[in-house]
Amino acid sequence: MGKYDTLFEKIVTIEELANDLGPEAIRYKTIANAKKVVSNKKIRAIAEIISEVGAKLELKKSDARINSEEAVLDEADFQAIYRKVISVLTK
């Protein structure tokens, strides 16, 4: 299980969130499985957020190593993630 899968599992098992997400939240052990959830949009949105932030951060880290800079997500990165999550939640 990858580091983002572990993060997802820790988030959905937080007591305050687990009550809101429902009992099926702990069934999904990986982000890939959670992103396929149709019945619970909140679980899918959490998986999308972790996946998107992780992917963008890994890309920024790669670019930062090349340019000897710090890896930082900017406003445009977060806006793209926000739009994607909103589309998941409103479908």
Side-chain angles (χ1 to χ4, degrees):
M1 191 160 37
K3 62 184 175 183
Y4 297 123
D5 294 328
T6 303
L7 177 62
F8 173 77
E9 186 176 22
K10 286 181 180 185
I11 288 172
V12 298
T13 57
I14 295 172
E15 187 175 331
E16 295 83 13
L17 284 176
N19 293 333
D20 192 39
L21 296 174
E24 74 271 3
I26 56 174
R27 283 192 327 195
Y28 304 103
K29 299 293 183 189
T30 66
I31 290 177
N33 289 338
K35 287 173 68 173
K36 297 175 188 173
V37 174
V38 178
S39 61
N40 193 326
K41 294 176 184 181
K42 293 175 185 176
I43 292 172
R44 189 166 162 214
I46 291 169
E48 287 289 348
I49 291 168
I50 294 170
S51 177
E52 289 294 314
V53 169
K56 289 187 183 296
L57 190 58
E58 292 299 323
L59 183 63
K60 293 279 183 167
K61 283 181 182 178
S62 175
D63 291 344
R65 278 187 221 115
I66 293 169
N67 299 323
S68 298
E69 298 173 347
E70 188 177 346
V72 178
L73 296 178
D74 57 20
E75 184 70 23
D77 295 324
F78 286 113
Q79 287 295 325
I81 295 167
Y82 175 78
R83 285 190 298 275
K84 188 166 190 170
V85 170
I86 291 299
S87 74
V88 166
L89 291 172
T90 57
K91 281 185 184 177

